[in-house]
């Protein structure tokens, strides 16, 4: 049997070579590049080899990518994630190529190089790559990754790759510092200064009469979703997040950060005039709308260079934006059966004892373990590898059995929209509630959690499959996937500001199976060594007693009982936050942070006592 399997694999490998699969090599060194993307503010963007924006990467199904990423920063760690790719060990790939630092790899230190090396055997469509170190990609460390497919189920004359994003004039780490402080106790997110169309503003694309174009739109932004619409042209959606879909025609697209939608557009038959290609911020996501923020930006679809530029163009309503719940995969893949394991995650945003606003799944705000979760899974004693304890109780670790059907229920106790992204998988969208923001006659808007005995909508026969989905304000989502891709897969909000607030969980998927196949490369270990991170141990870095989690990095303590928001806005104690962003700024050690939290906590308690005495 084994021999037959080996033979089949060899044949498969040969077939790939025969079909002309290629290896694409890139050597990228990160670094700051001075640019003025919106024509309003010059700033340092993060480019590769001195060039910003980084290039789009084009592969064909079956190809190999070898990307050597060298950290050219002076004082930041870095990493690279390939958003949407499955890195499936049963297809000859490795979990260690996924990218998120402290989950599947050690942070790459200044001067160091990590080699990303993998194939794309089965997937095709629109993907992207970006730094997975703090909110680093905010400053431009990202690009599209397109996997072409000879057997695309649609036809067109030309394709275009179009990234949309938000732009912040401040460096990302400064925006983050100002966001995650007790001076911002409500957790109001940094507001972008602009939105970009393929890394610029007032952009144009050229159309020739009667041609059919495939436009691949990607929202590679950090925070705001965008609506996209084209004056007097229709979009036919054919691909979403690397999944071919039953064609669906619409006037307007909605893209949350991380999401991709490819559409076919038939050009007009004449070339008398030009048309507007609009992008609009989903303003419901902003707590405040600064008066000088341009919510709509106009780009040009140029048919005729001698004709005047198109005027801006507005829609009365965005209601026509396709709701992905009602799309279907072209494959017709049926609804997965009843789950073996249901994971309920309540999304909450609240303050902890340091006065900072955090994000939680249930009561846990993700904090990086001391060593990457993959290393814990790879080195734990066999009998403990499925024990969630060793992964630490501050990473929201869920251990999945190989092949089981997993259902994630997300209940939003926050009134904001969150685009949730799962690494390593596409999930089925089984339920997707509307937002529940409207006040009713009975009272103010209330979150509506999922009720298993009374689902809001019929379960689709063939639910939409994708890797990033919007959870509506006060609403809920039910997602299903099969645990057939052994690895450590982070599940997180793709509003990177919220990820920084701790809105993440890690699925420890079939670690027993993973260990049979995955081997850590010498390069992988060297990168850990250079970052001074041990390569053996539990989440707290202990390897003598695997159940001893002493020293585990933890979220700050809760607010002292009775202490109010208003109280702590008033006073100042310097603080640094213990969540995600920390590792990206090498200077700050965890110990400092913990002590600082301790200090703030005690100060708060004393202050509370005083105020009680005063008022009593
Ligand atoms: C990339 O770096 C590798 C290893 O240092 C080197 O062997 C290779 O020639 C480089 N390739 C290019 C295209 O620069
Ligand atoms: C973009 O267009 C606006 C409106 O016409 C103009 O004010 C602005 O200067 C343009 N910016 C750039 C960078 O071309
Ligand atoms: C990091 O280095 C840059 C120069 O590359 C400098 O401008 C910045 O202030 C440094 N940041 C920290 C936190 O030291
Ligand atoms: C990439 O991986 C393949 C398959 O494991 C291996 O043969 C090759 O040597 C690797 N290349 C590099 C540069 O690591
Ligand atoms: C958008 O920018 C990328 C990267 O710079 C480029 O490869 C691509 O062709 C651009 N798209 C269009 C439509 O110009
Ligand atoms: C292009 O626009 C110019 C100016 O409006 C017009 O004179 C010309 O006829 C147009 N060309 C075509 C092919 O429609
Ligand atoms: C942007 O577009 C929306 C609707 O499409 C409209 O309500 C709003 O007034 C526009 N804003 C500006 C500044 O033009
Ligand atoms: C297209 O999307 C709409 C909702 O936006 C849905 O009602 C309709 O059934 C979809 N059609 C197909 C063929 O997917
Ligand atoms: C969260 O709640 C669970 C169950 O009540 C508890 O065991 C766990 O320690 C809590 N975690 C944190 C970080 O507060
Ligand atoms: C992983 O690969 C196996 C074998 O080809 C396949 O059955 C499974 O569906 C894949 N899973 C994912 C998430 O790619
Ligand atoms: C869930 O739905 C069932 C069936 O309609 C109902 O009996 C039950 O009260 C609901 N539960 C909650 C918490 O609303
Ligand atoms: Cu979010």
């Amino acid at each position: 049997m084994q021999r037959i399997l080996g033979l089949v694999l060899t044949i498969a490998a040969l077939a790939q070579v025969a079909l002309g699969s290629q290896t694409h090599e890139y050597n990228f060194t990160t670094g700051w590049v001075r640019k003025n993307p919106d024509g309003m503010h010059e700033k340092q963007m993060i480019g590769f080899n001195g060039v910003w924006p980084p290039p789009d990467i084009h592969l064909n199904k079956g190809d190999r990518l070898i990307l050597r990423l060298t950290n050219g920063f002076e004082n930041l760690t870095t990493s690279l994630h390939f958003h949407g790719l499955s890195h499936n060990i049963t297809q000859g790939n490795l979990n260690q190529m996924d990218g998120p630092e402290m989950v599947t790899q050690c942070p790459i230190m200044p001067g160091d190089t990590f080699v990303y090396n993998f194939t794309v055997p089965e997937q095709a469509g629109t993907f992207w790559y970006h730094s997975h170190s703090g909110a680093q990609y905010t400053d431009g460390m990202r690009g599209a990754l397109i996997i072409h497919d000879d057997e695309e189920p649609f036809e067109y004359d030309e394709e275009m790759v179009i990234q949309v994003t938000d732009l912040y004039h401040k460096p990302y780490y400064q925006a983050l510092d100002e966001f995650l402080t007790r001076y911002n106790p409500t957790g109001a997110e940094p507001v972008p200064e602009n939105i970009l169309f393929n890394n610029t503003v007032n952009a144009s694309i050229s159309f020739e009469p009667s041609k059919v174009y495939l436009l691949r739109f990607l929202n590679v932004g950090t925070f705001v979703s965008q609506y996209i619409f084209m004056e007097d042209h229709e979009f036919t959606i054919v691909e979403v997040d690397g999944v071919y879909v039953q064609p669906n025609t619409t006037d307007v697209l909605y893209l949350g950060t991380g999401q991709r939608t490819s559409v076919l557009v038939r050009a007009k038959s004449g070339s008398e005039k030009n048309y507007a290609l609009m992008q609009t911020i989903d303003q419901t996501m902003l707590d405040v709308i600064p008066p000088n923020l341009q919510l709509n930006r106009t780009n040009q679809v140029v048919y005729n260079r001698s004709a005047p530029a198109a005027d801006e163009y507005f829609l009365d309503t965005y209601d026509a934006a396709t709701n992905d719940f009602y799309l279907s995969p072209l494959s017709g893949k049926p609804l997965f059966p009843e789950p073996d394991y249901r994971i309920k995650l309540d999304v909450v945003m609240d303050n902890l004892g340091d006065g900072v606003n955090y994000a939680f799944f249930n009561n846990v705000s993700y904090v990086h373990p001391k060593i990457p979760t993959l290393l814990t899974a790879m080195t734990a004693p066999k009998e403990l590898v499925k024990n969630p304890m060793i992964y630490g109780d501050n990473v929201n670790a869920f251990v999945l059995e190989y092949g089981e059907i997993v259902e994630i229920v997300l209940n939003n106790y926050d009134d904001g929209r969150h685009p949730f992204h799962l690494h390593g998988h596409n999930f089925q969208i089984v339920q997707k509630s509307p937002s529940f923001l409207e006040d009713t006659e009975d009272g103010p808007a209330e979150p509506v959690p999922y009720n298993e005995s009374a689902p809001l909508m019929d379960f689709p026969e063939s639910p939409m499959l994708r890797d990033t989905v919007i959870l509506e304000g006060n609403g809920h989502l039910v997602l299903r996937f099969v645990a057939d891709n052994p690895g450590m897969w982070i599940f997180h909000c793709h509003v990177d500001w919220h990820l920084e607030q701790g809105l993440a969980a890690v699925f420890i998927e079939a670690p027993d199976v993973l260990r049979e196949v995955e081997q850590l490369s010498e390069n992988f270990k060297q990168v850990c060594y250079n970052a001074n991170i041990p390569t053996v141990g539990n989440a707290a870095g202990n390897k003598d007693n695997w159940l001893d989690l002493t020293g585990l990095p933890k979220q700050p303590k809760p607010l002292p009982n009775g202490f109010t928001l208003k109280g702590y806005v008033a006073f100042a104690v310097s603080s640094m936050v213990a969540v995600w962003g920390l590792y990206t700024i090498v200077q700050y050690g965890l110990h400092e942070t913990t002590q600082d939290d301790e200090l703030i906590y005690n100060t708060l308690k004393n202050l509370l006592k005083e105020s009680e005495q005063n008022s009593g």
Side-chain angles (χ1 to χ4, degrees):
M1 184 63 203
Q2 284 256 311
R3 286 175 94 176
I4 295 173
L5 189 66
L7 195 67
V8 170
L9 288 175
T10 313
I11 291 169
L14 288 174
Q16 267 188 18
V17 174
L19 286 171
S21 80
Q22 283 183 313
T23 297
H24 305 252
E25 288 199 46
Y26 292 90
N27 293 351
F28 287 151
T29 301
T30 66
W32 296 102
V33 185
R34 212 161 177 80
K35 283 279 169 176
N36 191 344
D38 64 350
M40 288 166 67
H41 182 84
E42 222 180 78
K43 69 167 289 193
Q44 301 274 56
M45 300 298 286
I46 300 173
F48 290 155
N49 306 338
V51 177
W52 184 86
D56 291 350
I57 294 178
H58 289 266
L59 307 175
N60 291 311
K61 207 172 176 175
D63 285 356
R64 178 177 292 280
L65 178 67
I66 297 176
L67 194 159
R68 296 181 186 83
L69 184 73
T70 301
N71 183 342
F73 300 122
E74 279 171 36
N75 49 19
L76 302 170
T77 64
T78 197
S79 60
L80 211 59
H81 167 58
F82 304 87
H83 183 123
L85 297 190
S86 61
H87 299 290
N88 192 329
I89 58 163
T90 47
Q91 296 171 359
N93 279 309
L94 296 169
N95 183 219
Q96 66 199 269
M97 298 303 168
D98 192 45
E101 67 180 33
M102 300 315 283
V103 182
T104 60
Q105 70 167 88
C106 295
I108 308 168
M109 297 301 277
D112 216 357
T113 301
F114 190 97
V115 185
Y116 295 95
N117 177 5
F118 55 84
T119 59
V120 287
E122 304 240 296
Q123 295 177 282
T126 311
F127 303 89
W128 61 299
Y129 65 84
H130 63 83
S131 164
H132 219 297
S133 300
Q136 195 167 70
Y137 80 76
T138 305
D139 284 352
M141 188 171 155
R142 59 188 172 220
L145 189 156
I146 309 299
I147 306 177
H148 298 274
D149 179 3
D150 288 343
E151 281 144 35
E152 258 169 353
F154 42 81
E155 284 178 8
Y156 52 89
D157 299 301
E158 274 181 47
E159 71 170 277
M160 295 183 189
V161 180
I162 298 167
Q163 303 170 34
V164 298
T165 179
D166 39 16
L167 175 75
Y168 300 80
H169 286 169
K170 282 177 184 155
Y172 78 91
Y173 47 83
Q174 191 185 336
L176 207 54
D177 278 357
E178 292 171 10
F179 171 44
L180 296 176
T181 75
R182 69 195 174 289
Y183 300 113
N184 182 28
T186 61
E189 295 87 356
V191 177
E193 272 78 25
N194 228 322
I195 49 174
L196 301 179
F197 184 97
N198 221 30
N199 293 311
T200 183
V201 294
N202 304 346
S204 50
I205 58 172
S206 289
F207 269 21
E208 285 175 36
S210 302
K211 276 196 174 174
V212 176
Y213 291 88
L214 177 72
L215 305 186
R216 301 179 184 269
F217 289 106
L218 305 90
N219 187 338
V220 299
T222 292
F223 174 25
V224 294
S225 302
Q226 297 191 31
Y227 292 97
I228 294 167
F229 46 101
M230 199 188 277
E231 177 186 5
D232 213 8
H233 287 70
E234 279 180 340
F235 293 143
T236 299
I237 301 173
V238 289
E239 182 236 299
V240 169
D241 292 2
V243 176
Y244 297 134
V245 302
Q246 305 267 7
N248 196 306
T249 301
T250 179
D251 288 332
V252 50
L253 306 176
Y254 182 88
L255 278 96
T257 52
Q259 296 188 315
R260 294 89 65 207
T261 304
S262 294
V263 298
L264 296 177
V265 184
R266 181 171 288 282
K268 301 273 170 206
S269 56
S271 53
E272 297 78 37
K273 58 174 292 223
N274 303 316
Y275 296 84
L277 174 47
M278 302 296 299
Q279 51 182 155
T280 293
I281 294 180
D282 173 3
Q283 40 180 300
T284 65
M285 293 179 85
L286 301 177
D287 287 357
V288 281
I289 301 176
N292 54 354
L293 175 65
Q294 224 177 307
L295 294 167
N296 308 295
R297 298 227 53 133
T298 310
N299 306 285
Q300 298 290 320
V301 182
V302 178
Y303 281 83
N304 182 338
R305 299 210 168 270
S306 337
D311 286 334
E312 53 187 1
Y313 164 81
F314 296 124
L315 294 177
D316 297 333
T317 158
Y318 298 111
D319 290 352
T322 302
N323 179 347
D324 55 1
F325 180 74
Y326 296 105
L327 292 175
S328 311
L330 199 59
S331 66
K333 196 186 195 70
L335 171 72
F336 294 134
E338 279 301 294
D340 300 302
Y341 185 16
R342 178 173 284 132
I343 298 171
K344 186 164 100 49
L345 299 173
D346 290 343
V347 175
V348 173
M349 307 194 76
D350 202 358
N351 302 79
L352 287 176
D354 58 357
V356 174
N357 192 271
Y358 291 89
F360 304 81
F361 276 145
N362 306 329
N363 56 346
V364 177
S365 178
Y366 178 92
V367 180
H368 279 311
K370 267 200 181 149
I371 80 169
T373 304
L374 175 60
L375 278 168
T376 297
M378 292 294 291
T379 59
K382 198 162 187 262
E383 67 279 9
L384 288 178
V385 73
K386 290 192 193 169
N387 185 336
M389 231 187 117
I390 65 169
Y391 300 102
D393 65 5
N394 231 151
V395 308
N396 276 310
F398 295 92
V399 177
L400 312 181
E401 292 290 338
Y402 187 56
E404 72 181 349
I405 291 165
V406 182
E407 182 172 277
I408 309 172
V409 175
L410 281 158
N411 294 316
N412 196 354
Y413 290 89
D414 174 61
D415 59 9
R417 283 180 164 152
H418 301 275
F420 278 100
H421 172 49
L422 175 58
H423 289 210
H425 286 275
N426 291 320
F427 42 69
Q428 290 186 334
I429 308 173
V430 171
Q431 292 283 301
K432 185 184 182 209
S433 84
S435 73
F436 293 99
L437 295 176
E438 306 292 320
D439 294 345
T440 65
E441 284 168 16
D442 304 329
E446 293 248 359
V448 178
Y450 177 54
N451 181 345
E452 198 193 317
S453 328
L456 280 188
M457 31 265 281
D458 292 335
F459 282 48
E461 276 171 36
S462 174
M464 187 50 200
L465 278 164
R466 68 183 310 175
D467 62 45
T468 310
V469 63
I470 300 275
L471 171 63
E472 294 283 351
N474 289 334
H476 59 257
L477 273 175
V478 181
L479 313 173
R480 282 185 192 170
F481 66 96
V482 183
D484 59 9
N485 191 15
M488 310 294 117
W489 304 115
I490 186 169
F491 177 69
H492 65 90
C493 178
H494 221 295
V495 169
D496 248 37
W497 307 133
H498 297 164
L499 173 55
E500 296 294 298
Q501 285 175 289
L503 200 46
V506 181
F507 296 127
I508 317 290
E509 185 168 337
D512 47 343
V513 180
L514 179 76
R515 282 151 52 116
E516 304 276 306
V517 181
E518 182 101 10
Q519 279 185 342
L520 302 173
S521 73
E522 286 312 309
N523 170 247
F524 181 102
K525 290 184 215 158
Q526 185 66 39
V527 165
C528 292
Y529 180 80
N530 294 347
N532 209 8
I533 292 174
T535 50
V536 181
N538 64 20
N542 301 326
K543 59 175 192 287
D544 298 330
N545 177 359
W546 278 76
L547 295 176
D548 174 11
L549 274 297
T550 313
L552 182 75
K554 291 275 209 174
Q555 68 197 49
K557 296 198 176 78
L559 274 174
N561 249 344
F563 208 82
T564 62
L565 256 182
K566 223 174 158 188
Y568 63 69
V569 181
F571 67 88
V573 186
S574 82
S575 82
M576 179 62 207
V577 179
V579 255
W580 196 278
L582 182 78
Y583 273 93
T584 68
I585 300 169
V586 175
Q587 273 93 338
Y588 300 103
L590 269 171
H591 285 293
E592 254 170 58
T593 312
T594 319
Q595 283 161 11
D596 205 22
D597 290 344
E598 204 79 46
L599 178 72
I600 295 163
Y601 183 76
N602 290 329
T603 314
L604 278 166
K605 266 208 310 220
N606 292 338
L607 221 86
L608 181 65
K609 251 188 237 146
E610 273 172 37
S611 73
E612 272 168 357
Q613 281 160 5
N614 289 348
S615 61

